[in-house]
Amino acid sequence: MAEPIDFAFEEISAAEHDRLKSLYTPLIDSVRRLIQAGIQSSADEAAIREAQSLIEAAVDKLGTGPGEQVRLAVGQRPVVWGNPVTGFRNAIAPPLVISEEPDGLWWSEFELGEAYQGPPGWVHGGVLAMVLDQLLGEAASEGLTKPLFTGTITLRYLRGTPLGKLRAEAAIERTDGHKTFVSGHMYDAEGKTVEAEGIFIKPVWARDAG
């Protein structure tokens, strides 16, 4: 049987979380701009080589830190700042800020640029799957406060999703034993572009806890 995942977290205050977020967000936003510049740049060879040296110097300045980060949480919600969808310290992440409505709807409004492109001008289908998997998982686990993992996720791409401003939504449809069924959608300004259905499963080692 698979070993249970360690869900022990070191709790930090909301104020400390906000302090760390305000410290790192401008840095990571700069890295996001760097990624965009790398995609779009038409600089000459000398400028590119100079930029590379500056980037390497910045990496040396920041250091790489320990191989394994301490798991942190604010209340019951883990702080997953390396998450590729929501992590505020991960320049790959847009990042999504996910909100919950009283009626159980989970949603996020965000923007995807060229770093997430598949066909020219359109979001890569795998990126859309990743975003919807994250959002459906947030809904199923009530904001990552319950140990649930993706069992299956099915997507139906209704049409291309253009780069730019988007909205994603998800909500629990039903719970059947250890399985939670969730549906979600991706929208652009013209309407729905992707439909998603997911089944999220409570692992065996977590079931005795209720």
Side-chain angles (χ1 to χ4, degrees), residues 74-189:
V74 177
Q76 290 185 306
R77 181 177 175 86
V79 178
V80 192
W81 54 34
N83 184 289
V85 178
T86 61
F88 66 80
R89 286 182 63 175
N90 188 344
I92 296 171
L96 267 65
V97 176
I98 296 174
S99 302
E100 179 192 12
E101 298 295 334
D103 62 1
L105 177 71
W106 292 73
W107 62 274
S108 183
E109 293 182 346
F110 51 95
E111 187 168 354
L112 297 180
E114 285 186 89
Y116 307 97
Q117 183 171 246
W122 304 93
V123 182
H124 192 292
V127 171
L128 296 168
M130 180 175 67
V131 169
L132 284 165
D133 185 26
Q134 179 70 33
L135 187 62
L136 268 63
E138 292 258 359
S141 64
E142 297 180 10
L144 308 182
T145 61
K146 297 179 178 180
L148 294 176
F149 298 94
T150 308
T152 62
I153 184 167
T154 304
L155 277 73
R156 183 180 177 214
Y157 295 88
L158 305 177
R159 57 185 173 86
T161 301
L163 298 176
K165 294 182 178 179
L166 302 169
R167 178 182 173 95
E169 297 179 352
I172 293 174
E173 294 293 330
R174 70 183 191 280
T175 299
D176 184 1
H178 302 300
K179 297 180 179 180
T180 299
F181 296 78
V182 187
S183 65
H185 306 90
M186 185 75 65
Y187 299 88
D188 67 1

Side-chain angles (χ1 to χ4, degrees), residues 6-22:
D6 181 7
F7 271 86
F9 292 91
E10 176 184 318
E11 187 166 347
I12 60 173
S13 67
E16 176 64 6
H17 172 271
D18 290 346
R19 185 190 73 81
L20 290 170
K21 188 173 182 179
S22 66

